[in-house]
Amino acid sequence: MLNQATGYAATALGFLATAGDKPVLVKDIAEASGIPSPYLAKIINALARKGLLVTQRGIGGGVVLARSGDSITLHDLAMALDDTSILPRCMLGTAECSDERACPAHEFWTGMRGRYLDFLKRTTITDVAAFETRRRAGHTAPHSRGDTMLGTLLPISPPRP
Amino acid sequence: MLNQATGYAATALGFLATAGDKPVLVKDIAEASGIPSPYLAKIINALARKGLLVTQRGIGGGVVLARSGDSITLHDLAMALDDTSILPRCMLGTAECSDERACPAHEFWTGMRGRYLDFLKRTTITDVAAFETRRRAGHTAPHSRGDTMLGTLLPISPPRP
DNA sequence: CGACAAGAGGACATACTTGTCCTCAAGTCG
DNA sequence: CGACTTGAGGACAAGTATGTCCTCTTGTCG
């Protein structure tokens, strides 16, 4: 699982992506996303230093995406925040575990990790934003991208009477 | 990933399973498995209290499996040690995340978790022991069970000249 | 310039995992 | 019984993740 910080970042940036180009206050992002505001401030600061966000102090300031949501993946966030969950680790915690000196779960775990990283690299902030927008709209809005796991997430529910 | 403690338990019990019915000292298991001895003692004590191991103090004492290695799965170990990695958690850390109120990664993560739990429930101490035995033997020993991920782990290497 | 807004950033707090260390309890055997 | 063996179990410590709190710096605007 992703660290809490990376999950927060994904949610916050998904919200930011729906806000257009105008700066949003950290406090507002925190409230809208249900994230502790001081903690989110640290996360946003870290992402700004990594060049994923642009922050602006003073009146009219706030936070904006540094580039298109399409070009920011969950994997980018995880790397920027030093998320330990994307590092290769042995599932059993064996000190020496590699392809040559495998633990009993090595092949299984390598496969799992591959799927996990693939999902992180394939899923963008735009995907997250689209999912949340769809959800807020009551699951009725169509979606244009069907090539990610996100596109298959919502149950196909009949139109409400 | 499993907690360190559960991984240690899997390795230790895998070793125990190869020792037959005679008790093995915690110290010897720790040395053979590369696990800190005092920490392993706590893990073993916890597993004994859960009925997975039988411990015996005094001369000739040590630790033995309480039942057949076939009937102890990695999932049993994880539950006995309160491994938090088997609890359902939202990949993004979202507070409220369920089938009805999903996060953008919910479907993907649910699938991953299903595979993970399935592996833990399917893999037994006997499997771990067999894997280690095979490895120590130089990857040449045949294996009888081909129905677990473990059975496919080792590369089919040609016999050594 | 001075007041105010808003992010920056360090100090500190809390919880959990992973260990270490020391002493106690239980068992065996002469 | 008494010495010895071996697990039991509590106190304590280090490291990391997750937050909170307070002050400082940077910016806008009158």
Side-chain angles (χ1 to χ4, degrees):
Chain A
M1 203 196 83
L2 288 170
N3 286 351
Q4 191 76 55
T6 310
Y8 283 168
T11 306
L13 268 63
F15 176 77
L16 255 189
T18 67
D21 288 339
K22 57 176 190 295
V24 184
L25 302 188
V26 170
K27 184 169 84 60
D28 292 343
I29 303 173
E31 282 179 9
S33 308
I35 302 169
S37 177
Y39 193 41
L40 179 61
K42 303 210 141 179
I43 295 168
I44 283 177
N45 181 244
L47 294 177
R49 269 180 280 150
K50 295 284 184 176
L52 295 175
L53 296 176
V54 174
T55 60
Q56 175 64 39
R57 294 197 258 204
I59 294 177
V63 185
V64 292
L65 293 179
R67 53 181 205 251
S68 156
D70 272 344
S71 65
I72 302 177
T73 66
L74 296 187
H75 192 259
D76 293 333
L77 297 182
M79 283 198 302
L81 296 171
D82 296 319
D83 194 309
T84 55
S85 78
I86 64 173
L87 300 177
R89 293 172 69 192
C90 171
M91 173 171 151
L92 300 182
T94 305
E96 186 191 352
C97 181
S98 62
D99 288 348
E100 292 75 30
R101 208 300 194 189
C103 81
H106 190 68
E107 179 169 315
F108 169 77
W109 195 241
T110 301
M112 288 281 285
R113 183 175 136 75
R115 292 169 196 269
Y116 178 63
L117 292 182
D118 184 60
F119 179 77
L120 294 182
K121 288 176 179 170
R122 190 161 33 84
T123 304
T124 69
I125 293 305
T126 300
D127 292 325
V128 175
F131 181 87
E132 290 299 328
T133 301
R134 225 154 57 227
R135 193 184 56 72
R136 286 195 211 100
H139 299 191
T140 58
H143 51 90
S144 54
R145 296 188 56 162
D147 59 337
T148 78
M149 304 299 279
L150 293 170
T152 67
L153 277 174
L154 296 176
I156 299 172
S157 44
R160 298 175 186 172
Chain B
M1 206 197 78
L2 288 171
N3 285 351
Q4 190 76 52
T6 310
Y8 283 167
T11 306
L13 268 63
F15 176 76
L16 254 189
T18 68
D21 289 338
K22 57 177 188 295
V24 184
L25 301 189
V26 171
K27 183 168 84 63
D28 292 342
I29 304 173
E31 281 177 11
S33 308
I35 301 170
S37 176
Y39 192 40
L40 180 60
K42 303 210 144 183
I43 295 168
I44 282 176
N45 180 242
L47 294 176
R49 269 180 281 152
K50 294 284 184 176
L52 294 175
L53 297 176
V54 174
T55 60
Q56 174 64 39
R57 295 196 257 203
I59 295 177
V63 186
V64 292
L65 295 180
R67 53 181 205 250
S68 156
D70 272 344
S71 65
I72 302 177
T73 67
L74 297 187
H75 191 260
D76 293 334
L77 298 181
M79 282 198 303
L81 297 171
D82 296 319
D83 194 309
T84 55
S85 77
I86 63 173
L87 300 177
R89 292 174 68 191
C90 171
M91 173 171 151
L92 300 182
T94 305
E96 185 190 354
C97 182
S98 62
D99 288 347
E100 292 75 31
R101 206 302 194 187
C103 82
H106 190 67
E107 180 168 315
F108 169 77
W109 196 242
T110 300
M112 287 282 284
R113 183 175 136 75
R115 291 169 197 270
Y116 178 62
L117 292 183
D118 184 60
F119 178 77
L120 294 182
K121 288 175 181 171
R122 188 161 33 85
T123 305
T124 69
I125 293 305
T126 299
D127 293 325
V128 175
F131 181 87
E132 291 299 328
T133 301
R134 224 151 59 227
R135 192 185 57 73
R136 287 196 211 100
H139 297 194
T140 57
H143 49 88
S144 54
R145 295 187 55 160
D147 59 338
T148 78
M149 305 298 281
L150 293 169
T152 67
L153 278 173
L154 296 176
I156 299 173
S157 45
R160 296 173 187 174

